[in-house]
Amino acid sequence: MSNPQQLRYSKEHEWLTAAEEGVSTVGITEHAANALGDVVYVQLPEVGDTVTAGETCGELESTKSVSDLYAPVTGEVTETNQDVVDDPSLVNSAPFQGGWLFKVRVTEEPKDLLTADEYTEFSGN
């Protein structure tokens, strides 16, 4: 498993892109997707919602369990991935591409986000 170098990672297993015009894309890592098992339902924050770093902002349900989705940054949700809502298996099959979850206009980024190498060490993958 390879974690893309250009992304930043949270200890709750979310990833995010560098902000483009203030907006970052958020998803869950391949490690988290594999641990969850087959994702069958995704509840995402709504466009316009404010999310807060480290707080629950949605839910992922798999054949194994239900897991909270945590916001890796603070900001306003600008877009959600309707493809993932319609086909939750994208979270498993393409966690770093088509399986992204939402986009957020970042107002605050925590200092404890990890690089790809730090996340790999943290997650043991």
Side-chain angles (χ1 to χ4, degrees):
M1 175 182 335
S2 179
N3 296 304
Q5 291 292 318
Q6 74 275 19
L7 302 177
R8 301 290 300 227
Y9 300 85
S10 74
K11 290 183 178 179
E12 288 81 23
H13 307 286
E14 283 81 26
W15 58 261
L16 74 151
T17 61
E20 292 183 28
E21 297 181 17
V23 176
S24 289
T25 302
V26 176
I28 67 164
T29 65
E30 186 174 4
H31 171 80
N34 289 339
L36 275 171
D38 295 333
V39 176
V40 296
Y41 175 76
V42 176
Q43 177 195 356
L44 301 175
E46 299 286 329
V47 172
D49 284 355
T50 298
V51 295
T52 302
E55 292 189 7
T56 302
C57 64
E59 189 175 270
L60 301 171
E61 185 177 325
S62 72
T63 55
K64 291 182 182 179
S65 67
V66 176
S67 180
D68 287 333
L69 173 64
Y70 294 92
V73 293
T74 298
E76 180 182 342
V77 176
T78 62
E79 184 180 346
T80 58
N81 187 350
Q82 187 61 43
D83 291 342
V84 166
V85 173
D86 294 341
D87 181 7
S89 70
L90 287 171
V91 172
N92 298 104
S93 64
F96 295 115
Q97 293 87 28
W100 63 274
L101 301 175
F102 64 93
K103 295 185 180 186
V104 60
R105 182 167 307 283
V106 179
T107 57
E108 185 179 337
E109 184 174 304
K111 303 288 186 224
D112 64 347
L113 291 175
L114 306 172
T115 65
D117 292 338
E118 291 168 335
Y119 179 75
T120 298
E121 184 176 325
F122 169 77
S123 64
N125 291 315

